[in-house]
Amino acid sequence: MDRRKFLEASGWSLLGLAASGNLLESCTNDKEVKKVVPSSTGLKLYWGDLHNHCNITYGHGDMRDAFEAAKGQLDFVSVTPHAMWPDINLLNKEPRLKWVIGYHTDAFGRLRRGGYDKYLQMTKEYNKEGEFLTFIGYEAHSMISGDHVALHKDINAPLVNCTSIQNWKDKFKGQDVFVTPHHMGYQKGYRGYDWDQFTEGDQTPFVEMYSRHGLAESDMGDYPYLHDMGPRHWEGTIQYGLEQGHKFGFIGSTDQHSGYPGSYGDGRVGVLSPSLSRDGIWEGLRSRHSCCATGDKIKVDFRVNDAMMGDVIRGNKRRIYLNVEGESCIDYIDLIKNGKLIARINGPHIPVMPQGETVRCKVKLEFGWNREQTYIPWEGAISVDKGRILNVTPCFRGAAFTSPQEGETEFHTHVQKILSVGETSTELKLYTSMNPNTTTSATQAVILEVEMPLDGNIIAEFNGKKLSHSLAELLQGSRTHFMRGWLSEALLFNRAMPQSCYCFEHYMEDDEPERDTDYYYVRVRQKDQQWLWTSPIWAERI
């Protein structure tokens, strides 16, 4: 069976949309793909969070718990103190904002009265080359220039003050420091980003396009800005910046304020690197070899000719290669060129039942839904009675708030843990609280990648109850269980996802340049509303 027929049999549809009059052509078999795909780069995608907060300044949750939470589901992290606000005096014009000045300056003072030394010490304590990397970073607010994070390669970096964001950039010239804007989509002059201040190069190779604040890809689409800082504003968005001709990579970070770096669904960055080393991750970020994800660690290999995401090439004939492995059923994959959708590849509406004695699937088990605001502990194991567990991926969330919580004097982070992983079982220790509203999730989950027969069972034993479903059952649909009856905590066996619905490989060609420099990027949407965006690749006309 050729590739196109195979994909159609798996429920995929390929839509080549007109782009300046030309249609993209897809390959029809694997042999044809191998002729055009460059050799393997030997790079791996590593995941981190470079912007999040705990109680070291304003925010909640102990800093050690924050590092422990990060270590449980990330490869690298910067736990980020709020450090300064050089133009905070602009708020004096409005008496109703006086409390904002006091709140922030008190926090900045605590950082300088011993907090930063404690932060340096703990960051160095948790840094383990090749296992888990930690970076020094801290944040400066600015009404005029927008908020930025200074990320240092040097793990002994001092705290550097500034009189403006530009003054900060000047002080860091010639040093290994990234100065990165975030929550860019707010209105300019009100802590949104001013693209006139963007300078391309090693100091700002990437921007943070997604966090708990929302998505700044455009002024339309998913994840609008709902914080009291205001709605999304077109001139602060990623799409606006790209259309101005700027070159930058994409990252996501949580901007968590409850001490849970990498909080699932709040934003993460993926970086291509040959190894989990400080030099490798730094070079991957500097080269814009990065992607932005909401939560799921969606693997993507996106190339144009010999270039990978973040690169610039020359040539009028663009061979576009794409390989995606999701964590759930892919809804669609988009190819964006110069701000326009030029191709959409639709995943199956319902995953196709796999055939064979042994099949590979991903199954997400999700815990939560209890009515109480107090935390419910879950201790137990998930196992399989036939086949084997190939991988266990954590999907752990922090508390669902971004702003300071009025009247709350102390918040204790409940760190979710995978205690062990074996070929047939994994032990978990989790805590869940009620979902704060009907559109915000506070559930905790793990994704099991399994290889097993259809009559094999996935068994969950937690809090004195044993629950079991065959893989064949779960391929037909999800199964739910209340632990203590209606309105109590519940466990969800999500629908099992066969490999055919979360893996996709494709080749296309585009041979019609539109501009002197065209840009391309890919976005992937899963049916569970988890997203990924690659950094762009720029192609210059010859």
Side-chain angles (χ1 to χ4, degrees):
M1 181 184 293
D2 70 30
R3 182 162 182 77
R4 182 178 291 276
K5 290 180 180 178
F6 171 78
L7 291 172
E8 289 173 351
S10 301
W12 290 82
S13 62
L14 311 177
L15 298 178
L17 302 181
S20 301
N22 70 310
L23 289 175
L24 298 176
E25 295 182 357
S26 65
C27 68
T28 56
N29 58 63
D30 291 333
K31 185 178 180 182
E32 193 172 345
V33 172
K34 291 174 183 175
K35 288 181 180 178
V36 297
V37 176
S39 60
S40 173
T41 61
L43 302 178
K44 181 181 176 182
L45 203 54
Y46 294 96
W47 296 94
D49 182 359
L50 298 175
H51 172 207
N52 57 87
H53 305 287
C54 63
N55 66 5
I56 193 68
T57 48
Y58 68 86
H60 302 286
D62 182 73
M63 183 166 57
R64 185 169 295 279
D65 286 337
F67 278 109
E68 288 293 328
K71 193 170 69 169
Q73 60 182 356
L74 299 174
D75 300 308
F76 60 92
V77 74
S78 173
V79 177
T80 320
H82 299 92
M84 63 203 78
W85 191 338
D87 56 13
I88 196 170
N89 287 336
L90 292 174
L91 303 184
N92 281 323
K93 298 175 182 178
E94 298 191 52
R96 64 186 179 84
L97 298 177
K98 183 178 180 180
W99 71 272
V100 177
I101 298 174
Y103 186 88
H104 287 80
T105 54
D106 286 350
F108 303 151
R110 291 196 301 273
L111 183 64
R112 286 157 177 78
R113 293 190 298 271
Y116 192 75
D117 291 339
K118 179 183 176 183
Y119 169 61
L120 281 179
Q121 180 181 350
M122 197 170 293
T123 300
K124 288 187 282 188
E125 175 189 341
Y126 274 87
N127 185 63
K128 306 292 181 187
E129 188 82 4
E131 297 179 17
F132 179 66
L133 298 178
T134 60
F135 290 88
I136 294 296
Y138 44 86
E139 178 174 351
H141 303 326
S142 173
M143 294 294 286
I144 295 171
S145 302
D147 290 13
H148 290 67
V149 169
L151 184 75
H152 293 258
K153 186 178 181 183
D154 181 5
I155 203 167
N156 294 297
L159 178 63
V160 176
N161 295 312
C162 66
T163 57
S164 67
I165 298 300
Q166 186 57 52
N167 173 250
W168 226 21
K169 291 180 178 182
D170 292 341
K171 288 184 175 183
F172 289 136
K173 281 182 179 177
Q175 300 181 38
D176 284 327
V177 181
F178 297 136
V179 182
T180 306
H182 58 266
H183 57 51
M184 309 172 65
Y186 290 117
Q187 186 177 345
K188 184 171 70 174
Y190 295 93
R191 291 173 64 184
Y193 191 56
D194 179 1
W195 280 106
D196 290 339
Q197 299 188 30
F198 179 82
T199 51
E200 185 182 324
D202 291 351
Q203 197 171 68
T204 307
F206 53 85
V207 302
E208 183 186 297
M209 69 179 290
Y210 176 81
S211 72
R212 280 196 63 82
H213 283 264
L215 175 64
E217 181 185 16
S218 175
D219 56 349
M220 301 181 292
D222 286 2
Y223 306 110
Y225 280 20
L226 301 176
H227 192 280
D228 56 14
M229 286 169 60
R232 277 189 301 210
H233 188 78
W234 164 239
E235 293 180 354
T237 63
I238 301 298
Q239 201 67 65
Y240 182 88
L242 289 171
E243 288 300 301
Q244 303 308 300
H246 300 308
K247 294 184 179 70
F248 51 88
F250 301 163
I251 73 164
S253 293
T254 60
D255 203 355
Q256 254 274 328
H257 280 60
S258 61
Y260 218 102
S263 176
Y264 182 73
D266 292 342
R268 294 173 178 177
V269 54
V271 178
L272 288 171
S273 172
S275 64
L276 186 57
S277 65
R278 183 169 297 273
D279 287 343
I281 295 298
W282 194 263
E283 177 58 22
L285 288 166
R286 188 198 65 78
S287 302
R288 304 183 293 235
H289 295 161
S290 63
C291 57
C292 168
T294 54
D296 272 348
K297 299 174 181 179
I298 300 170
K299 297 175 185 175
V300 62
D301 183 1
F302 167 51
R303 284 174 269 168
V304 178
N305 297 351
D306 295 327
M308 66 183 77
M309 54 187 179
D311 288 344
V312 181
I313 61 170
R314 286 179 58 80
N316 296 347
K317 188 176 181 66
R318 289 87 185 256
R319 305 182 309 275
I320 300 168
Y321 172 71
L322 180 63
N323 195 321
V324 177
E325 180 184 339
E327 294 283 19
S328 185
C329 184
I330 293 173
D331 191 5
Y332 54 82
I333 302 169
D334 287 341
L335 178 63
I336 307 297
K337 176 185 178 184
N338 297 336
K340 296 177 291 185
L341 175 67
I342 62 167
R344 171 163 289 184
I345 304 154
N346 289 307
H349 178 59
I350 296 177
V352 175
M353 180 69 74
Q355 303 297 316
E357 293 185 7
T358 301
V359 298
R360 180 174 291 203
C361 293
K362 292 187 178 182
V363 184
K364 186 176 187 178
L365 276 76
E366 204 162 351
F367 304 78
W369 289 277
N370 42 286
R371 189 175 177 82
E372 297 82 4
Q373 293 190 30
T374 55
Y375 281 83
I376 299 291
W378 300 77
E379 293 192 51
I382 305 169
S383 61
V384 297
D385 61 1
K386 294 180 181 179
R388 60 190 180 128
I389 298 172
L390 302 175
N391 190 42
V392 180
T393 302
C395 305
F396 297 155
R397 290 183 167 94
F401 53 75
T402 299
S403 298
Q405 300 298 287
E406 185 177 355
E408 186 166 4
T409 57
E410 185 177 358
F411 172 83
H412 174 61
T413 301
H414 289 74
V415 179
Q416 318 296 331
K417 293 182 179 180
I418 298 175
L419 300 177
S420 68
V421 177
E423 254 202 7
T424 59
S425 69
T426 179
E427 294 180 287
L428 308 177
K429 185 174 184 180
L430 310 176
Y431 302 88
T432 65
S433 60
M434 65 183 293
N435 295 323
N437 53 59
T438 56
T439 59
T440 304
S441 177
T443 61
Q444 308 297 339
V446 293
I447 300 170
L448 270 62
E449 185 177 12
V450 297
E451 191 174 68
M452 57 191 297
L454 296 179
D455 64 351
N457 293 295
I458 297 176
I459 305 156
E461 297 184 74
F462 287 88
N463 298 356
K465 295 193 77 169
K466 182 176 181 179
L467 307 166
S468 177
H469 292 285
S470 71
L471 185 59
E473 279 185 278
L474 296 178
L475 283 163
Q476 292 172 346
S478 60
R479 301 290 189 270
T480 63
H481 300 272
F482 288 109
M483 301 299 286
R484 296 179 292 122
W486 190 52
L487 298 184
S488 72
E489 61 276 12
L491 193 158
L492 167 61
F493 289 74
N494 280 272
R495 179 191 291 266
M497 300 297 171
Q499 196 172 18
S500 62
C501 79
Y502 62 78
C503 287
F504 183 81
E505 184 181 40
H506 195 52
Y507 165 69
M508 300 174 285
E509 290 187 1
D510 180 21
D511 57 5
E512 292 195 12
E514 296 178 353
R515 305 173 177 177
D516 289 339
T517 302
D518 297 317
Y519 66 85
Y520 301 81
Y521 69 90
V522 168
R523 57 187 188 186
V524 181
R525 186 187 194 272
Q526 296 182 164
K527 286 188 178 292
D528 62 358
Q529 295 183 302
Q530 294 297 317
W531 284 80
L532 176 135
W533 298 261
T534 69
S535 290
I537 297 173
W538 290 266
E540 298 174 347
R541 186 203 306 259
I542 295 178

